[in-house]
Each structure stands twice: as structure tokens, then as C-alpha cells.
Amino acid sequence: MPRLLRPRALKPGDLVAVAALSGPLPAAYEPNVEQAVVVLERMGFRVRRAPLLEAGRHHWWSAATPARIAAELNGLLRDAEVRAIIASDGGQTAFGYLDLIDIEAIEADPKPILGYSDISLLHLVLYARTGLVGFHADMAVPGFGGHWQAVPATRRAELEALYSRLLTGTEAIGALPASPSWECWRPGRAEGRLIGGVINRIALVQATRFAVPLDRFDGAVLFWEEMGGQASYVWSYLQVLRHNGILDRISGMVVGVPREIAGLETPDASPTLAEIVLDVLGDRDIPVLGNVDVGHAGPNLPMPLGIRVGLDAQRLTLSLLEPAVRPPGATPPTG
């Protein structure tokens, strides 16, 4: 397998940057950013807001032009004081600057980049190009400052402890905390590297020169989620993965809780999400764990790309079998 580029583990007092890596910050969500800062500081980190994260600033549907967003991201990647980068939100911009990212800066000093939705595109491309472990995880506005504030205090404390261990610990986390929503859609066990994101980005990136090489999916556990659109779109994206050969290579699948997908709420209008998945999988006998806390429904369990996981769909368990970060004194691999 290709090398795995683990970021350095964070320490108490390390600086994390919250940045607008895609969409803008509407003024109404300024309190979410402020609350996210509180959460991150409670985890023991210092927090800096990147300049483009300014309420009301926008360029069309983005926080700024793709070139300006890339310039700011590259500055954070090169800044030795910044030890992690957390996206403020998703959006529709990452495709515009995939060719502008400073790959050498990532290889010289890999850092955790946290986010989902459009940010999952960055995780996929950077994992493919450098082996970087990308953190498909909650963001500032819809996550730390949004969904996290709507759950009971005990769940919030559980999430804070989990994210802190993920970013600072150099031991495998083991089983992720399951929720009542988890379902076994096809029984079985699998072990492999974790790869995935929002399903439309997985499908679309394969049409570009930044496509994830198919061998990265060999034996992998594929996770995906989706928001918006129609149930038929999900079926079509899965068909793209089938035609692309991805579904023939993976050893297991984890499906996130869907959000706002037309048809799924109306039994007469569409099959269930489980029926859609199993229809496309056909006779591929791989375990499928459904309705996992991954994606837009939030809060998110973190899914670190490239990390080896163990999946037991019948027992409803998903375990991180190795750490996502390296010890602070260790150097990143070369070659």
C-alpha cells in the first residue's frame, strides 16, 4: 500500500486555525463560530480565525475566489505555528483550487484538516496525492457551533473527549461510540483502510485528473453520506462507483445518516436507502453498516481517511485500529 502521511499529534496549547475553505459565513452564523471557539478552547487549544472567515464576505457562493481561498490555505499549511486547520463550513468551491494547493508544504509538515461535505473532496485528493490522513469530521459552523450545541451535555462531553483523543493521542481509539440509529444492512466483518466522503464528491472527483487511483480502494472500507437531491441521485452515484470498479475492490461499506434527500421520506416515492444500496451492490458479499453518525445529519463521528478500521456489521461496531496522528517527536515518512 502507498505510504500513510500522519500529521503530528497536537499538544495542549497548540494553535488551530478556523478557516473558510469553501462557502462564506453568513452574519447569522457568527455565534456558531464563537461557540466553536469555546469548544476548541475547552479541548485545550488556542484558536485563530483566518482572515477570510469574516461575516458577510463572499464571492458568488464562496467565501472568496478559489485563488484567494487557496492562498490562505497555503499560508496556513506553511505556518509552523498552526498545528491544525478546521473548516468553517462546506460549500461549492474546493473543485476550483485543487490545482493550487501547496503539496510540498503538506509533505513537509502534514497537519490535520477537519471538515466534511465539500471538504471531503480535499481529503480524497490529498490522500491520493500525498497519503495525508484527512479528518472527515465536524466543522465550526454546522458542527462544534451547531449540532454539538443541540445534543445533551453528556453526548457533547463524549464527543469532545473523542476528538481530543483523535488529535492528541498516539494509541488506537478502538470502537467508536455507536448510536441507536445504526443498522446492519448486510452482515459480515471486514478490515481495511478507511476512505470516503460525501458520495457526490467521490463520484465527481473520479472524472478529473485528481481522481483517486483505484488501488487505493483495494480492501478498503468505504464510507459515504449525502445531503439534498433525490434518492435516484444516490442510486446513480452508486452506479458510477460500480462502473468505475470501486465497488468490486472494497471490503466493506459504512453509510451515513441521509439528510433532506427527496423520496426517502415517502415510502411510495422511493425505495429505502438500504434497498438502494443493496440493489446496486447486487451479489457483492460485503458487510454494510447503515445510518451511522457520519455527515450532514450531525454530530459527526470522525472518519480519518487512510486509517485501518475494523467493521462488524452484525454486531454494529466500527473500530479505529491505529492512531490517526504520529508522536510529536516523530518525523513524517519520505519517499
Side-chain angles (χ1 to χ4, degrees), residues 131-160:
L132 180 68
V133 175
F135 293 73
H136 185 281
D138 268 319
M139 302 180 278
V141 170
F144 304 131
H147 293 303
W148 284 37
Q149 306 309 310
V151 298
T154 52
R155 174 63 168 164
R156 196 158 56 245
E158 181 182 50
L159 288 167
E160 286 187 19

PDB file of all heavy atoms in Angstrom, residues 131-160:
ATOM      1  N   GLY A 131      -0.864  10.753   0.576  1.00  0.00           N
ATOM      2  CA  GLY A 131      -1.078   9.813   1.668  1.00  0.00           C
ATOM      3  C   GLY A 131      -1.547  10.480   2.950  1.00  0.00           C
ATOM      4  O   GLY A 131      -1.631   9.836   4.002  1.00  0.00           O
ATOM      5  N   LEU A 132      -1.868  11.795   2.891  1.00  0.00           N
ATOM      6  CA  LEU A 132      -2.273  12.530   4.085  1.00  0.00           C
ATOM      7  C   LEU A 132      -3.536  11.936   4.696  1.00  0.00           C
ATOM      8  O   LEU A 132      -4.535  11.715   4.001  1.00  0.00           O
ATOM      9  CB  LEU A 132      -2.523  14.002   3.749  1.00  0.00           C
ATOM     10  CG  LEU A 132      -2.957  14.890   4.923  1.00  0.00           C
ATOM     11  CD1 LEU A 132      -1.819  15.065   5.925  1.00  0.00           C
ATOM     12  CD2 LEU A 132      -3.458  16.250   4.430  1.00  0.00           C
ATOM     13  N   VAL A 133      -3.499  11.718   5.994  1.00  0.00           N
ATOM     14  CA  VAL A 133      -4.699  11.314   6.732  1.00  0.00           C
ATOM     15  C   VAL A 133      -5.603  12.536   6.838  1.00  0.00           C
ATOM     16  O   VAL A 133      -5.262  13.525   7.494  1.00  0.00           O
ATOM     17  CB  VAL A 133      -4.337  10.787   8.139  1.00  0.00           C
ATOM     18  CG1 VAL A 133      -5.610  10.498   8.930  1.00  0.00           C
ATOM     19  CG2 VAL A 133      -3.473   9.538   8.026  1.00  0.00           C
ATOM     20  N   GLY A 134      -6.749  12.484   6.169  1.00  0.00           N
ATOM     21  CA  GLY A 134      -7.712  13.575   6.232  1.00  0.00           C
ATOM     22  C   GLY A 134      -8.782  13.269   7.258  1.00  0.00           C
ATOM     23  O   GLY A 134      -9.217  12.121   7.385  1.00  0.00           O
ATOM     24  N   PHE A 135      -9.231  14.277   7.972  1.00  0.00           N
ATOM     25  CA  PHE A 135     -10.177  14.079   9.058  1.00  0.00           C
ATOM     26  C   PHE A 135     -11.581  14.486   8.611  1.00  0.00           C
ATOM     27  O   PHE A 135     -11.948  15.665   8.681  1.00  0.00           O
ATOM     28  CB  PHE A 135      -9.744  14.873  10.292  1.00  0.00           C
ATOM     29  CG  PHE A 135      -8.481  14.363  10.917  1.00  0.00           C
ATOM     30  CD1 PHE A 135      -7.249  14.582  10.309  1.00  0.00           C
ATOM     31  CD2 PHE A 135      -8.510  13.640  12.097  1.00  0.00           C
ATOM     32  CE1 PHE A 135      -6.075  14.100  10.868  1.00  0.00           C
ATOM     33  CE2 PHE A 135      -7.345  13.152  12.671  1.00  0.00           C
ATOM     34  CZ  PHE A 135      -6.123  13.382  12.049  1.00  0.00           C
ATOM     35  N   HIS A 136     -12.338  13.501   8.102  1.00  0.00           N
ATOM     36  CA  HIS A 136     -13.745  13.741   7.782  1.00  0.00           C
ATOM     37  C   HIS A 136     -14.458  13.836   9.123  1.00  0.00           C
ATOM     38  O   HIS A 136     -14.745  12.826   9.773  1.00  0.00           O
ATOM     39  CB  HIS A 136     -14.297  12.592   6.939  1.00  0.00           C
ATOM     40  CG  HIS A 136     -15.700  12.804   6.463  1.00  0.00           C
ATOM     41  ND1 HIS A 136     -16.790  12.603   7.280  1.00  0.00           N
ATOM     42  CD2 HIS A 136     -16.184  13.197   5.257  1.00  0.00           C
ATOM     43  CE1 HIS A 136     -17.890  12.858   6.586  1.00  0.00           C
ATOM     44  NE2 HIS A 136     -17.549  13.224   5.357  1.00  0.00           N
ATOM     45  N   ALA A 137     -14.698  15.071   9.548  1.00  0.00           N
ATOM     46  CA  ALA A 137     -15.147  15.312  10.916  1.00  0.00           C
ATOM     47  C   ALA A 137     -15.903  16.636  10.959  1.00  0.00           C
ATOM     48  O   ALA A 137     -16.008  17.340   9.957  1.00  0.00           O
ATOM     49  CB  ALA A 137     -13.940  15.357  11.854  1.00  0.00           C
ATOM     50  N   ASP A 138     -16.401  16.967  12.136  1.00  0.00           N
ATOM     51  CA  ASP A 138     -17.217  18.164  12.253  1.00  0.00           C
ATOM     52  C   ASP A 138     -16.422  19.436  11.992  1.00  0.00           C
ATOM     53  O   ASP A 138     -15.203  19.487  12.189  1.00  0.00           O
ATOM     54  CB  ASP A 138     -17.884  18.221  13.624  1.00  0.00           C
ATOM     55  CG  ASP A 138     -19.255  17.579  13.607  1.00  0.00           C
ATOM     56  OD1 ASP A 138     -19.989  17.789  12.627  1.00  0.00           O
ATOM     57  OD2 ASP A 138     -19.595  16.855  14.553  1.00  0.00           O
ATOM     58  N   MET A 139     -17.161  20.469  11.569  1.00  0.00           N
ATOM     59  CA  MET A 139     -16.606  21.778  11.254  1.00  0.00           C
ATOM     60  C   MET A 139     -17.090  22.776  12.297  1.00  0.00           C
ATOM     61  O   MET A 139     -17.801  22.425  13.240  1.00  0.00           O
ATOM     62  CB  MET A 139     -17.033  22.195   9.849  1.00  0.00           C
ATOM     63  CG  MET A 139     -16.617  21.212   8.778  1.00  0.00           C
ATOM     64  SD  MET A 139     -17.092  21.674   7.099  1.00  0.00           S
ATOM     65  CE  MET A 139     -18.800  21.118   7.047  1.00  0.00           C
ATOM     66  N   ALA A 140     -16.723  24.041  12.098  1.00  0.00           N
ATOM     67  CA  ALA A 140     -17.042  25.052  13.099  1.00  0.00           C
ATOM     68  C   ALA A 140     -18.524  25.414  13.128  1.00  0.00           C
ATOM     69  O   ALA A 140     -19.168  25.355  14.174  1.00  0.00           O
ATOM     70  CB  ALA A 140     -16.201  26.305  12.850  1.00  0.00           C
ATOM     71  N   VAL A 141     -19.085  25.787  11.966  1.00  0.00           N
ATOM     72  CA  VAL A 141     -20.446  26.329  11.959  1.00  0.00           C
ATOM     73  C   VAL A 141     -21.514  25.253  12.149  1.00  0.00           C
ATOM     74  O   VAL A 141     -22.313  25.328  13.089  1.00  0.00           O
ATOM     75  CB  VAL A 141     -20.690  27.151  10.677  1.00  0.00           C
ATOM     76  CG1 VAL A 141     -22.168  27.520  10.538  1.00  0.00           C
ATOM     77  CG2 VAL A 141     -19.843  28.419  10.710  1.00  0.00           C
ATOM     78  N   PRO A 142     -21.564  24.225  11.275  1.00  0.00           N
ATOM     79  CA  PRO A 142     -22.639  23.241  11.466  1.00  0.00           C
ATOM     80  C   PRO A 142     -22.315  22.207  12.530  1.00  0.00           C
ATOM     81  O   PRO A 142     -23.208  21.484  12.974  1.00  0.00           O
ATOM     82  CB  PRO A 142     -22.741  22.580  10.096  1.00  0.00           C
ATOM     83  CG  PRO A 142     -21.362  22.674   9.537  1.00  0.00           C
ATOM     84  CD  PRO A 142     -20.777  23.957  10.060  1.00  0.00           C
ATOM     85  N   GLY A 143     -21.050  22.121  12.960  1.00  0.00           N
ATOM     86  CA  GLY A 143     -20.625  21.087  13.884  1.00  0.00           C
ATOM     87  C   GLY A 143     -20.462  21.578  15.307  1.00  0.00           C
ATOM     88  O   GLY A 143     -21.398  21.580  16.110  1.00  0.00           O
ATOM     89  N   PHE A 144     -19.230  22.016  15.635  1.00  0.00           N
ATOM     90  CA  PHE A 144     -18.930  22.431  17.005  1.00  0.00           C
ATOM     91  C   PHE A 144     -19.876  23.530  17.495  1.00  0.00           C
ATOM     92  O   PHE A 144     -20.301  23.521  18.649  1.00  0.00           O
ATOM     93  CB  PHE A 144     -17.484  22.937  17.104  1.00  0.00           C
ATOM     94  CG  PHE A 144     -16.456  21.948  16.629  1.00  0.00           C
ATOM     95  CD1 PHE A 144     -15.467  22.337  15.735  1.00  0.00           C
ATOM     96  CD2 PHE A 144     -16.460  20.637  17.063  1.00  0.00           C
ATOM     97  CE1 PHE A 144     -14.507  21.438  15.285  1.00  0.00           C
ATOM     98  CE2 PHE A 144     -15.514  19.731  16.627  1.00  0.00           C
ATOM     99  CZ  PHE A 144     -14.532  20.133  15.731  1.00  0.00           C
ATOM    100  N   GLY A 145     -20.187  24.464  16.599  1.00  0.00           N
ATOM    101  CA  GLY A 145     -21.046  25.566  16.996  1.00  0.00           C
ATOM    102  C   GLY A 145     -22.511  25.367  16.689  1.00  0.00           C
ATOM    103  O   GLY A 145     -23.334  26.236  16.977  1.00  0.00           O
ATOM    104  N   GLY A 146     -22.849  24.209  16.082  1.00  0.00           N
ATOM    105  CA  GLY A 146     -24.227  23.944  15.689  1.00  0.00           C
ATOM    106  C   GLY A 146     -24.772  22.673  16.295  1.00  0.00           C
ATOM    107  O   GLY A 146     -25.342  22.689  17.384  1.00  0.00           O
ATOM    108  N   HIS A 147     -24.585  21.528  15.596  1.00  0.00           N
ATOM    109  CA  HIS A 147     -25.146  20.251  16.062  1.00  0.00           C
ATOM    110  C   HIS A 147     -24.697  19.901  17.479  1.00  0.00           C
ATOM    111  O   HIS A 147     -25.483  19.345  18.259  1.00  0.00           O
ATOM    112  CB  HIS A 147     -24.740  19.125  15.108  1.00  0.00           C
ATOM    113  CG  HIS A 147     -25.353  19.225  13.746  1.00  0.00           C
ATOM    114  ND1 HIS A 147     -26.709  19.281  13.542  1.00  0.00           N
ATOM    115  CD2 HIS A 147     -24.784  19.280  12.507  1.00  0.00           C
ATOM    116  CE1 HIS A 147     -26.959  19.357  12.243  1.00  0.00           C
ATOM    117  NE2 HIS A 147     -25.817  19.364  11.593  1.00  0.00           N
ATOM    118  N   TRP A 148     -23.451  20.223  17.806  1.00  0.00           N
ATOM    119  CA  TRP A 148     -22.959  19.868  19.145  1.00  0.00           C
ATOM    120  C   TRP A 148     -23.749  20.582  20.244  1.00  0.00           C
ATOM    121  O   TRP A 148     -23.897  20.051  21.347  1.00  0.00           O
ATOM    122  CB  TRP A 148     -21.478  20.217  19.284  1.00  0.00           C
ATOM    123  CG  TRP A 148     -20.548  19.273  18.602  1.00  0.00           C
ATOM    124  CD1 TRP A 148     -20.750  18.641  17.408  1.00  0.00           C
ATOM    125  CD2 TRP A 148     -19.262  18.856  19.057  1.00  0.00           C
ATOM    126  NE1 TRP A 148     -19.671  17.859  17.091  1.00  0.00           N
ATOM    127  CE2 TRP A 148     -18.742  17.975  18.072  1.00  0.00           C
ATOM    128  CE3 TRP A 148     -18.500  19.151  20.172  1.00  0.00           C
ATOM    129  CZ2 TRP A 148     -17.486  17.378  18.203  1.00  0.00           C
ATOM    130  CZ3 TRP A 148     -17.242  18.567  20.304  1.00  0.00           C
ATOM    131  CH2 TRP A 148     -16.754  17.686  19.332  1.00  0.00           C
ATOM    132  N   GLN A 149     -24.239  21.764  19.937  1.00  0.00           N
ATOM    133  CA  GLN A 149     -24.952  22.539  20.957  1.00  0.00           C
ATOM    134  C   GLN A 149     -26.381  22.055  21.155  1.00  0.00           C
ATOM    135  O   GLN A 149     -27.044  22.443  22.116  1.00  0.00           O
ATOM    136  CB  GLN A 149     -24.962  24.019  20.554  1.00  0.00           C
ATOM    137  CG  GLN A 149     -23.580  24.577  20.271  1.00  0.00           C
ATOM    138  CD  GLN A 149     -22.589  24.293  21.387  1.00  0.00           C
ATOM    139  OE1 GLN A 149     -22.885  24.544  22.561  1.00  0.00           O
ATOM    140  NE2 GLN A 149     -21.420  23.784  21.034  1.00  0.00           N
ATOM    141  N   ALA A 150     -26.854  21.189  20.249  1.00  0.00           N
ATOM    142  CA  ALA A 150     -28.235  20.716  20.318  1.00  0.00           C
ATOM    143  C   ALA A 150     -28.364  19.347  20.979  1.00  0.00           C
ATOM    144  O   ALA A 150     -29.479  18.856  21.156  1.00  0.00           O
ATOM    145  CB  ALA A 150     -28.840  20.662  18.910  1.00  0.00           C
ATOM    146  N   VAL A 151     -27.240  18.726  21.327  1.00  0.00           N
ATOM    147  CA  VAL A 151     -27.290  17.399  21.942  1.00  0.00           C
ATOM    148  C   VAL A 151     -27.115  17.529  23.450  1.00  0.00           C
ATOM    149  O   VAL A 151     -26.637  18.555  23.948  1.00  0.00           O
ATOM    150  CB  VAL A 151     -26.204  16.474  21.351  1.00  0.00           C
ATOM    151  CG1 VAL A 151     -26.439  16.284  19.857  1.00  0.00           C
ATOM    152  CG2 VAL A 151     -24.802  17.015  21.613  1.00  0.00           C
ATOM    153  N   PRO A 152     -27.505  16.493  24.204  1.00  0.00           N
ATOM    154  CA  PRO A 152     -27.331  16.549  25.666  1.00  0.00           C
ATOM    155  C   PRO A 152     -25.875  16.757  26.064  1.00  0.00           C
ATOM    156  O   PRO A 152     -24.951  16.391  25.319  1.00  0.00           O
ATOM    157  CB  PRO A 152     -27.849  15.182  26.128  1.00  0.00           C
ATOM    158  CG  PRO A 152     -28.767  14.730  25.044  1.00  0.00           C
ATOM    159  CD  PRO A 152     -28.196  15.266  23.769  1.00  0.00           C
ATOM    160  N   ALA A 153     -25.679  17.318  27.241  1.00  0.00           N
ATOM    161  CA  ALA A 153     -24.323  17.630  27.708  1.00  0.00           C
ATOM    162  C   ALA A 153     -23.445  16.391  27.776  1.00  0.00           C
ATOM    163  O   ALA A 153     -22.237  16.456  27.515  1.00  0.00           O
ATOM    164  CB  ALA A 153     -24.398  18.307  29.071  1.00  0.00           C
ATOM    165  N   THR A 154     -24.034  15.235  28.117  1.00  0.00           N
ATOM    166  CA  THR A 154     -23.243  14.010  28.195  1.00  0.00           C
ATOM    167  C   THR A 154     -22.701  13.608  26.821  1.00  0.00           C
ATOM    168  O   THR A 154     -21.559  13.159  26.698  1.00  0.00           O
ATOM    169  CB  THR A 154     -24.082  12.855  28.771  1.00  0.00           C
ATOM    170  OG1 THR A 154     -25.314  12.749  28.019  1.00  0.00           O
ATOM    171  CG2 THR A 154     -24.412  13.101  30.231  1.00  0.00           C
ATOM    172  N   ARG A 155     -23.534  13.754  25.782  1.00  0.00           N
ATOM    173  CA  ARG A 155     -23.087  13.438  24.425  1.00  0.00           C
ATOM    174  C   ARG A 155     -22.021  14.422  23.981  1.00  0.00           C
ATOM    175  O   ARG A 155     -21.032  14.047  23.333  1.00  0.00           O
ATOM    176  CB  ARG A 155     -24.282  13.475  23.472  1.00  0.00           C
ATOM    177  CG  ARG A 155     -23.947  13.301  22.006  1.00  0.00           C
ATOM    178  CD  ARG A 155     -23.336  11.946  21.713  1.00  0.00           C
ATOM    179  NE  ARG A 155     -23.268  11.678  20.279  1.00  0.00           N
ATOM    180  CZ  ARG A 155     -22.528  10.735  19.739  1.00  0.00           C
ATOM    181  NH1 ARG A 155     -21.795   9.952  20.506  1.00  0.00           N
ATOM    182  NH2 ARG A 155     -22.525  10.555  18.426  1.00  0.00           N
ATOM    183  N   ARG A 156     -22.190  15.698  24.314  1.00  0.00           N
ATOM    184  CA  ARG A 156     -21.209  16.716  23.950  1.00  0.00           C
ATOM    185  C   ARG A 156     -19.860  16.415  24.608  1.00  0.00           C
ATOM    186  O   ARG A 156     -18.808  16.518  23.966  1.00  0.00           O
ATOM    187  CB  ARG A 156     -21.727  18.096  24.353  1.00  0.00           C
ATOM    188  CG  ARG A 156     -21.005  19.247  23.701  1.00  0.00           C
ATOM    189  CD  ARG A 156     -21.860  20.497  23.697  1.00  0.00           C
ATOM    190  NE  ARG A 156     -22.306  20.893  25.019  1.00  0.00           N
ATOM    191  CZ  ARG A 156     -23.581  20.905  25.414  1.00  0.00           C
ATOM    192  NH1 ARG A 156     -24.532  20.541  24.570  1.00  0.00           N
ATOM    193  NH2 ARG A 156     -23.902  21.297  26.629  1.00  0.00           N
ATOM    194  N   ALA A 157     -19.887  16.019  25.857  1.00  0.00           N
ATOM    195  CA  ALA A 157     -18.652  15.675  26.557  1.00  0.00           C
ATOM    196  C   ALA A 157     -17.994  14.450  25.932  1.00  0.00           C
ATOM    197  O   ALA A 157     -16.758  14.383  25.814  1.00  0.00           O
ATOM    198  CB  ALA A 157     -18.945  15.427  28.034  1.00  0.00           C
ATOM    199  N   GLU A 158     -18.805  13.481  25.517  1.00  0.00           N
ATOM    200  CA  GLU A 158     -18.282  12.288  24.855  1.00  0.00           C
ATOM    201  C   GLU A 158     -17.584  12.655  23.547  1.00  0.00           C
ATOM    202  O   GLU A 158     -16.492  12.144  23.243  1.00  0.00           O
ATOM    203  CB  GLU A 158     -19.418  11.305  24.603  1.00  0.00           C
ATOM    204  CG  GLU A 158     -18.998  10.004  23.935  1.00  0.00           C
ATOM    205  CD  GLU A 158     -20.181   9.079  23.675  1.00  0.00           C
ATOM    206  OE1 GLU A 158     -21.193   9.543  23.096  1.00  0.00           O
ATOM    207  OE2 GLU A 158     -20.094   7.894  24.045  1.00  0.00           O
ATOM    208  N   LEU A 159     -18.201  13.546  22.778  1.00  0.00           N
ATOM    209  CA  LEU A 159     -17.614  13.972  21.519  1.00  0.00           C
ATOM    210  C   LEU A 159     -16.323  14.752  21.737  1.00  0.00           C
ATOM    211  O   LEU A 159     -15.331  14.548  21.018  1.00  0.00           O
ATOM    212  CB  LEU A 159     -18.617  14.827  20.739  1.00  0.00           C
ATOM    213  CG  LEU A 159     -19.806  14.091  20.137  1.00  0.00           C
ATOM    214  CD1 LEU A 159     -20.871  15.086  19.679  1.00  0.00           C
ATOM    215  CD2 LEU A 159     -19.373  13.207  18.968  1.00  0.00           C
ATOM    216  N   GLU A 160     -16.303  15.633  22.714  1.00  0.00           N
ATOM    217  CA  GLU A 160     -15.090  16.399  23.000  1.00  0.00           C
ATOM    218  C   GLU A 160     -13.942  15.472  23.374  1.00  0.00           C
ATOM    219  O   GLU A 160     -12.808  15.649  22.914  1.00  0.00           O
ATOM    220  CB  GLU A 160     -15.347  17.405  24.120  1.00  0.00           C
ATOM    221  CG  GLU A 160     -16.171  18.609  23.692  1.00  0.00           C
ATOM    222  CD  GLU A 160     -16.266  19.665  24.790  1.00  0.00           C
ATOM    223  OE1 GLU A 160     -15.418  19.634  25.716  1.00  0.00           O
ATOM    224  OE2 GLU A 160     -17.167  20.514  24.722  1.00  0.00           O
TER     225      GLU A 160
END
